[in-house]
Amino acid sequence: MKLSPAMRSREEELILRIRQISAGSRLRRSRLKLSIGDDAAAFQVRHGHHLLVSTDALVEGIHFDLSYFRPEELGWKALAVNLSDIAAMGGRPLFFTTSIALPKHTDPRFVQRFYQGVNNLARKFGVELAGGDTCASPQGIFIDLTVLGEVKPSEMIGRSGARPGDLIYVSGELGGSAMGLELLKQSSHRKRSWSGLVERHLRPVPRCRLGRFLAQRGLATALIDLSDGLSTDLHHLCSASGVGAVIEAQEIPVARLSPSVAACLDGLPLDYAVNGGEDYELLFTVSERLRQKVPSSLGGVAIRRVGVITDKPLSCYFRQKGTTRRLLPRGFDHFADC
Amino acid sequence: MKLSPAMRSREEELILRIRQISAGSRLRRSRLKLSIGDDAAAFQVRHGHHLLVSTDALVEGIHFDLSYFRPEELGWKALAVNLSDIAAMGGRPLFFTTSIALPKHTDPRFVQRFYQGVNNLARKFGVELAGGDTCASPQGIFIDLTVLGEVKPSEMIGRSGARPGDLIYVSGELGGSAMGLELLKQSSHRKRSWSGLVERHLRPVPRCRLGRFLAQRGLATALIDLSDGLSTDLHHLCSASGVGAVIEAQEIPVARLSPSVAACLDGLPLDYAVNGGEDYELLFTVSERLRQKVPSSLGGVAIRRVGVITDKPLSCYFRQKGTTRRLLPRGFDHFADC
């Protein structure tokens, strides 16, 4: 127990600042009945809908490094990875809470800039900050966001519905985030030619629109977001559905990059696309009979068929230039050394 | 990006273990439609109810120290502090998510024992684990829980409804947690005579039943839980309600302790009761005309009238032995040095 009213006011000041920054994202007809400043936030849930909840943490030194992450980018990404989880259920995100532990020496502008980034993305997707917790950390920044969303039970898409013969699709381009991260680690000076890849790592755009599109049209049998990498997340989907898969290497939408940038990388672009994590694209399966209904793009984001579901549980294969090899889950792992 | 399937399986193993431990707390007729293992958890919300959400983090070296916290106690407390926030709205807790970052060398049994503690309390209050995130931390344990609950809009009790003339009540005994913490810091060997106080710090019992009682009977005009300490939380309540307060020192229910234990403490028991945090009792205000409806105890927990609300915004006073002095918010502050 420490007696420090001066420090208390620092916490109150923080809350006030967060409130001001997020005021801009309050919806015109908000369903938020009570937010920051009481013991809990309260809001209305639409009748006949399921509530969705998802939590994802970002830990300094594990998920990010301030040598290459600006506070606004970190705020954006912390919310983006959570919105992506709601998109991956076919749901509509509504509210979120933030929990942040900061070292005592943290510049107060860091918090302001962090919430500016959070708010930039929140406004884009019409979600509201409902509350949270800010406290001290002995060392390192710890960020945990929880996003709440809703979905009609009939529209909800889990991971377990893929059936043999279903076609496998991915949105956007893959590997950009992992390649961007490798470039950022090489030099904190961001080169112009890196920008597309680096942006994918720092400010991923969650595919909320595609998630809702698949849900409302009843198109996908299973859906997951690509946070751990295609090889790992495909494994998760197949494991939940009790099926296997074959992926065609030449169909994988590898993130575009110039030969000079490619030369800076340790691995081959295809390897990043298959095993690199944090692209936050969607991976989904569609019954053969509905293949005509899947558009080739949605809102400027390409949709690509990359393979097919098979009936061999947990057997994932990768077909490249006439040879077929086992596809093992080799994506990003937060328990490995970073 | 690191390639480590062996480590990946550690994460999967963790999730499996958490699932097994929490299976015991699944309700017979669960409203949880999808939980651990998909991108988000999904559940039904009762029609005509507001959803409540609250997030509280526990950081090693700030909120707890493993030299005196057993993993089961930490799990219990992490959930308790969050359930207390739902109680402080008059709500009924339903589900929770956990987010934990652990140093890589953490004994896997730590996680198992932590969730055992979480589960012990979850079963007691009929709440269910809905999902979460487990990741690595470069140093120190970070725990963040989010609890979801529900309340009828007409029964919800915020902090802002206290009016001049309302009577101020607290539940249980105060200061026990702060005194227990001081004793624990003195020696990791727990003496039998400490047990009541130490237990209050390590395994607080959230006052969910009292919160619901006040809500269902429309008794309280304002309600807050005592997490930061009476002086600080009273300040929060008065600030939100735009009122002041006078507290009578002799009415404060100071946690009982023997003279020999009191001699081990630096401060006076009354100081711990006024400024010590983490008691997780409830502080609430009741209109004068309803004072007869407030019981003297509920389910074995005493309820004590300690003061009255005044019309001077943010002016809190403390009356002791005929003298009146200003009561400043001097409770526990997580930004101060611990």
Side-chain angles (χ1 to χ4, degrees):
Chain A
M1 182 183 65
K2 291 286 164 179
L3 317 177
S4 169
M7 295 298 290
R8 159 65 47 201
S9 72
R10 180 176 160 199
E11 197 173 330
E12 282 176 349
E13 207 180 276
L14 267 182
I15 292 172
L16 184 69
R17 197 172 294 147
I18 295 165
R19 232 196 252 246
Q20 285 166 344
I21 294 169
S22 57
S25 74
R26 286 300 300 271
L27 303 179
R28 221 169 351 136
R29 296 179 60 195
S30 177
R31 285 195 275 155
L32 197 58
K33 296 300 166 194
L34 199 63
S35 72
I36 310 163
D38 218 303
D39 296 288
F43 53 86
Q44 279 180 307
V45 177
R46 234 179 329 167
H47 186 48
H49 283 64
H50 279 172
L51 192 94
L52 298 170
V53 57
S54 175
T55 287
D56 255 323
L58 293 184
V59 181
E60 184 177 355
I62 300 289
H63 304 87
F64 67 91
D65 192 317
L66 292 179
S67 67
Y68 56 77
F69 252 105
R70 293 175 189 142
E72 295 86 353
E73 292 161 343
L74 193 57
W76 174 289
K77 183 156 182 173
L79 180 57
V81 304
N82 279 282
L83 293 182
S84 181
D85 278 323
I86 300 296
M89 302 295 295
R92 194 162 78 90
L94 297 172
F95 305 100
F96 61 100
T97 61
T98 57
S99 200
I100 306 191
L102 296 164
K104 293 187 182 87
H105 57 73
T106 306
D107 185 341
R109 281 172 302 183
F110 174 89
V111 179
Q112 191 155 359
R113 293 175 60 189
F114 173 84
Y115 274 99
Q116 205 58 65
V118 168
N119 195 46
N120 289 344
L121 184 62
R123 264 194 302 206
K124 202 174 158 75
F125 286 94
V127 291
E128 285 183 79
L129 178 64
D133 189 18
T134 308
C135 62
S137 156
Q139 46 213 345
I141 297 172
F142 172 80
I143 300 165
D144 188 38
L145 263 72
T146 299
V147 175
L148 299 162
E150 66 180 13
V151 69
K152 281 188 200 164
S154 59
E155 292 182 358
M156 189 163 73
I157 315 169
R159 297 178 178 180
S160 61
R163 294 292 166 260
D166 285 359
L167 304 174
I168 304 170
Y169 292 83
V170 293
S171 64
E173 298 182 345
L174 305 186
S177 177
M179 291 190 265
L181 174 60
E182 192 174 318
L183 295 170
L184 284 166
K185 283 183 172 174
Q186 286 176 19
S187 158
S188 61
H189 172 73
R190 302 180 190 179
K191 294 182 190 151
R192 189 183 294 256
S193 60
W194 297 359
S195 62
L197 303 177
V198 158
E199 184 81 354
R200 291 305 305 266
H201 185 73
L202 302 172
R203 299 195 350 134
V205 178
R207 301 305 183 197
C208 296
R209 189 173 163 195
L210 176 58
R212 288 298 299 137
F213 175 88
L214 297 171
Q216 288 175 314
R217 281 166 179 72
L219 271 180
T221 51
L223 173 59
I224 190 170
D225 68 327
L226 292 171
S227 53
D228 293 335
L230 177 62
S231 60
T232 301
D233 290 316
L234 177 66
H235 186 87
H236 290 153
L237 187 147
C238 287
S239 166
S241 296
V243 296
V246 177
I247 298 293
E248 303 290 342
Q250 81 279 6
E251 300 301 333
I252 292 174
V254 182
R256 279 160 294 186
L257 70 169
S258 68
S260 66
V261 175
C264 298
L265 298 170
D266 275 347
L268 293 171
L270 181 63
D271 287 339
Y272 291 91
V274 175
N275 298 315
E278 304 199 63
D279 281 316
Y280 297 103
E281 295 295 346
L282 295 183
L283 170 72
F284 58 97
T285 54
V286 174
S287 163
E288 239 277 52
R289 67 185 171 81
L290 293 175
R291 67 186 297 173
Q292 301 301 331
K293 308 256 184 197
V294 181
S296 60
S297 72
L298 187 79
V301 179
I303 296 170
R304 187 78 162 260
R305 180 160 52 84
V306 296
V308 66
I309 293 293
T310 67
D311 60 2
K312 289 188 197 137
L314 276 174
S315 300
C316 297
Y317 292 92
F318 191 65
R319 212 145 50 189
Q320 191 175 20
K321 293 177 186 162
T323 65
T324 299
R325 56 191 170 91
R326 195 75 184 248
L327 180 64
L328 294 170
R330 292 191 185 276
F332 186 78
D333 173 35
H334 296 147
F335 273 103
D337 297 315
C338 290
Chain B
M1 182 182 65
K2 291 286 163 181
L3 317 178
S4 170
M7 296 298 289
R8 159 64 49 199
S9 72
R10 180 176 160 197
E11 198 173 330
E12 284 177 346
E13 207 179 278
L14 269 181
I15 293 173
L16 184 69
R17 199 171 293 149
I18 296 166
R19 234 197 252 244
Q20 286 166 343
I21 294 169
S22 55
S25 74
R26 285 301 299 271
L27 304 179
R28 215 162 2 129
R29 296 180 59 194
S30 178
R31 288 196 273 155
L32 197 58
K33 295 300 164 195
L34 200 64
S35 72
I36 310 162
D38 218 302
D39 296 288
F43 52 86
Q44 278 180 307
V45 177
R46 235 180 327 169
H47 187 49
H49 282 66
H50 279 172
L51 192 94
L52 297 170
V53 58
S54 176
T55 287
D56 255 322
L58 293 184
V59 180
E60 184 178 355
I62 300 289
H63 304 86
F64 67 91
D65 192 316
L66 292 179
S67 67
Y68 55 77
F69 251 105
R70 293 175 189 144
E72 295 85 354
E73 292 161 342
L74 195 57
W76 174 289
K77 183 157 181 172
L79 180 57
V81 305
N82 280 282
L83 293 182
S84 180
D85 278 324
I86 300 297
M89 303 295 294
R92 194 163 77 92
L94 298 171
F95 305 100
F96 62 101
T97 61
T98 56
S99 199
I100 307 192
L102 297 163
K104 293 189 182 86
H105 57 74
T106 306
D107 184 341
R109 280 171 301 182
F110 174 90
V111 180
Q112 190 155 0
R113 293 176 60 189
F114 173 85
Y115 275 98
Q116 204 59 64
V118 168
N119 195 46
N120 288 345
L121 184 60
R123 262 193 302 205
K124 200 173 159 78
F125 285 95
V127 292
E128 284 183 79
L129 178 64
D133 189 18
T134 308
C135 63
S137 156
Q139 46 213 344
I141 297 173
F142 292 89
I143 300 165
D144 188 38
L145 262 73
T146 299
V147 174
L148 299 161
E150 67 181 11
V151 68
K152 280 188 198 163
S154 60
E155 292 182 357
M156 189 163 72
I157 315 169
R159 297 178 177 181
S160 62
R163 293 295 165 257
D166 285 358
L167 304 174
I168 304 169
Y169 292 83
V170 294
S171 64
E173 298 183 345
L174 305 186
S177 176
M179 291 190 265
L181 174 60
E182 192 175 317
L183 295 170
L184 285 166
K185 283 183 172 174
Q186 285 176 20
S187 160
S188 61
H189 173 72
R190 303 180 189 179
K191 294 181 190 152
R192 189 182 293 258
S193 60
W194 298 358
S195 62
L197 303 176
V198 157
E199 183 81 355
R200 290 307 304 265
H201 185 73
L202 301 172
R203 300 197 345 138
V205 178
R207 300 307 184 195
C208 297
R209 187 171 164 195
L210 176 57
R212 288 298 299 138
F213 176 88
L214 297 171
Q216 287 175 313
R217 280 166 178 73
L219 271 180
T221 51
L223 174 59
I224 190 171
D225 67 327
L226 292 171
S227 53
D228 293 335
L230 177 62
S231 61
T232 301
D233 290 315
L234 177 67
H235 186 87
H236 290 153
L237 187 147
C238 287
S239 167
S241 295
V243 296
V246 177
I247 297 294
E248 304 290 342
Q250 81 278 7
E251 299 301 334
I252 293 174
V254 182
R256 278 160 295 183
L257 71 169
S258 69
S260 65
V261 174
C264 298
L265 298 169
D266 275 346
L268 293 171
L270 181 64
D271 287 339
Y272 291 92
V274 175
N275 298 315
E278 306 199 64
D279 280 317
Y280 298 102
E281 294 295 345
L282 296 183
L283 170 70
F284 57 98
T285 55
V286 174
S287 164
E288 238 280 46
R289 69 185 169 81
L290 294 175
R291 67 186 298 174
Q292 301 302 331
K293 308 255 185 198
V294 181
S296 60
S297 72
L298 187 79
V301 179
I303 297 170
R304 186 77 162 261
R305 179 160 53 84
V306 296
V308 66
I309 293 293
T310 68
D311 60 1
K312 289 188 197 138
L314 275 174
S315 298
C316 296
Y317 292 93
F318 190 66
R319 212 144 53 187
Q320 191 176 20
K321 294 177 186 161
T323 65
T324 300
R325 55 191 171 90
R326 195 74 184 248
L327 180 65
L328 294 170
R330 292 191 187 277
F332 186 76
D333 173 33
H334 296 148
F335 273 103
D337 297 314
C338 292

